[in-house]
Amino acid sequence: QVQLVESGGGLVQNGGSLRLSCAASGSIFSINAMGWYRQAPGKERELVAFIISGGTTNYADSVKGRFTISRDNAKNTVYLQMNSLIPEDTAVYYCYAALMVRAMGPTQRYWGQGTQVTVTS
């Protein structure tokens, strides 16, 4: 069984910062990629950022230059440092991990429970 536990969401003023964390635990053989999606009320879930095992990162245009994704492979943990937050960043943020639970097994995606980020104007 694999679990992803998120933390770090909350309420922040326009221009503020938050740091999200997501730790994966359980029967994990290897993690290929970890990342974050978000979903605002009435909108579809959108990719925010991801990082692959080699360290390559990718960001949505809307967060480039403001958000930074990083990863601690030893802890199976991914972080999302969010700076210069704006009200449009308000959403539930979900982390995911694309991982294998056994050698030569399929890569499957697992999700966290979501954490609310609210930016006030």
Side-chain angles (χ1 to χ4, degrees):
Q1 190 74 8
V2 175
Q3 285 189 321
L4 274 65
V5 178
E6 302 164 0
S7 61
L11 182 69
V12 65
Q13 289 187 336
N14 190 18
S17 298
L18 283 174
R19 188 190 193 212
L20 305 183
S21 300
C22 174
S25 63
S27 180
I28 298 171
F29 175 75
S30 67
I31 300 178
N32 298 333
M34 299 186 78
W36 296 88
Y37 279 73
R38 67 185 181 186
Q39 187 166 22
K43 295 187 177 181
E44 293 186 354
R45 188 175 294 193
E46 64 172 350
L47 177 66
V48 176
F50 67 85
I51 181 168
I52 64 175
S53 57
T56 301
T57 59
N58 187 278
Y59 296 91
D61 288 342
S62 60
V63 307
K64 282 180 181 177
R66 300 188 298 121
F67 291 10
T68 302
I69 190 169
S70 61
R71 181 174 162 181
D72 186 332
N73 291 330
K75 295 181 179 180
N76 288 337
T77 299
V78 65
Y79 306 95
L80 186 67
Q81 178 66 44
M82 305 185 293
N83 298 328
S84 302
L85 284 161
I86 58 178
E88 290 76 14
D89 294 320
T90 296
V92 178
Y93 284 69
Y94 298 91
C95 75
Y96 78 90
L99 58 87
M100 297 164 51
V101 297
R102 63 182 187 277
M104 305 301 290
T107 297
Q108 298 172 297
R109 185 171 287 197
Y110 292 81
W111 293 91
Q113 78 282 3
T115 186
Q116 178 70 46
V117 171
T118 302
V119 184
T120 60
S121 57

